Amino acid sequence: MYFVSISILNKLSIEQLKMRKIIILGVFLVIILIVVFYFLRFSYISYKEIDLAIQQHHFQNKIQNEEKHYDIKQYGYFKEVKYKDEPHYKYTYQTIKRPGFKDFINPNYEYKTNNVKTLVEDEKTGKDLTHSQKAKHQIDNEWYSNKKRILIEYP
């Protein structure tokens, strides 16, 4: 009888250890899936807002080449676009205000078309033309313009 009770206890502890391993593995799997889903949703929101801003200004038919990128330093997604009528200019479109956690979980998220800033670079000279010259496909939105004015007025 003594040996039977020890073997039953050993079976219970082995089964408990297996369950603990399964639970821990399940928790890690859920955490990994949440992180992956967050980055997928965040990239979708960012690229959708950039695309909507380009469409709002009717630039989508003039695109020659576009590339999607992620910058870990600025924690944001951006698109580099070249247009047919300005092949030597490289336009970089990036969202200004990043989606927050509420936006992440909201299935009815309203995409903002005024949430995109543009950087323009002349690839021939390497000069930044963002503030010195108004290029044809540059998007200036109210939020960015107001923010820029505030920074200029109050150094």
Side-chain angles (χ1 to χ4, degrees), residues 121-137:
E121 178 185 349
D122 188 350
E123 291 187 323
K124 288 183 180 178
T125 62
K127 290 184 180 179
D128 180 19
L129 303 174
T130 304
H131 300 294
S132 63
Q133 175 180 338
K134 179 76 173 173
K136 289 182 186 177
H137 307 291

Side-chain angles (χ1 to χ4, degrees), residues 49-50 52-57 59 83 91 93 96 113-120 134-141 144-145:
E49 287 183 349
I50 292 170
L52 287 174
I54 290 172
Q55 287 175 6
Q56 181 183 16
H57 290 82
F59 298 155
Y83 291 96
Y91 289 84
Y93 297 103
I96 299 169
T113 56
N114 63 347
N115 189 30
V116 176
K117 69 177 179 179
T118 311
L119 303 173
V120 185
K134 179 76 173 173
K136 289 182 186 177
H137 307 291
Q138 188 167 356
I139 297 173
D140 286 329
N141 61 42
Y144 183 67
S145 298

Side-chain angles (χ1 to χ4, degrees), residues 5 10 70 91 115:
S5 63
N10 284 339
Y70 175 75
Y91 289 84
N115 189 30

Side-chain angles (χ1 to χ4, degrees), residues 50 54 59 62-67 79-83 86 89-93:
I50 292 170
I54 290 172
F59 298 155
K62 301 173 185 177
I63 293 176
Q64 176 183 351
N65 182 10
E66 69 179 354
E67 297 176 6
K79 273 189 176 182
E80 290 181 350
V81 178
K82 288 188 179 182
Y83 291 96
E86 292 181 324
Y89 286 179
K90 179 175 68 175
Y91 289 84
T92 303
Y93 297 103

Side-chain angles (χ1 to χ4, degrees), residues 29-153:
L29 184 62
V30 167
I31 290 171
I32 289 171
L33 287 174
I34 288 172
V35 169
V36 167
F37 181 73
Y38 176 76
F39 279 102
L40 288 174
R41 174 87 169 131
F42 181 54
S43 69
Y44 179 78
I45 289 173
S46 297
Y47 289 135
K48 183 75 171 180
E49 287 183 349
I50 292 170
D51 289 339
L52 287 174
I54 290 172
Q55 287 175 6
Q56 181 183 16
H57 290 82
H58 306 291
F59 298 155
Q60 72 271 13
N61 295 332
K62 301 173 185 177
I63 293 176
Q64 176 183 351
N65 182 10
E66 69 179 354
E67 297 176 6
K68 297 177 180 180
H69 298 283
Y70 175 75
D71 186 8
I72 197 161
K73 291 180 183 176
Q74 294 183 1
Y75 190 63
Y77 294 89
F78 63 93
K79 273 189 176 182
E80 290 181 350
V81 178
K82 288 188 179 182
Y83 291 96
K84 296 173 189 172
D85 55 347
E86 292 181 324
H88 55 281
Y89 286 179
K90 179 175 68 175
Y91 289 84
T92 303
Y93 297 103
Q94 183 177 16
T95 54
I96 299 169
K97 193 174 179 186
R98 310 294 184 257
F101 184 72
K102 290 180 183 178
D103 301 328
F104 168 69
I105 60 173
N106 183 4
N108 300 321
Y109 177 74
E110 292 184 25
Y111 299 101
K112 302 171 200 72
T113 56
N114 63 347
N115 189 30
V116 176
K117 69 177 179 179
T118 311
L119 303 173
V120 185
E121 178 185 349
D122 188 350
E123 291 187 323
K124 288 183 180 178
T125 62
K127 290 184 180 179
D128 180 19
L129 303 174
T130 304
H131 300 294
S132 63
Q133 175 180 338
K134 179 76 173 173
K136 289 182 186 177
H137 307 291
Q138 188 167 356
I139 297 173
D140 286 329
N141 61 42
E142 292 177 24
W143 188 90
Y144 183 67
S145 298
N146 290 339
K147 188 80 167 176
K148 189 169 57 174
R149 257 187 251 121
I150 290 171
L151 291 175
I152 291 171
E153 289 175 8

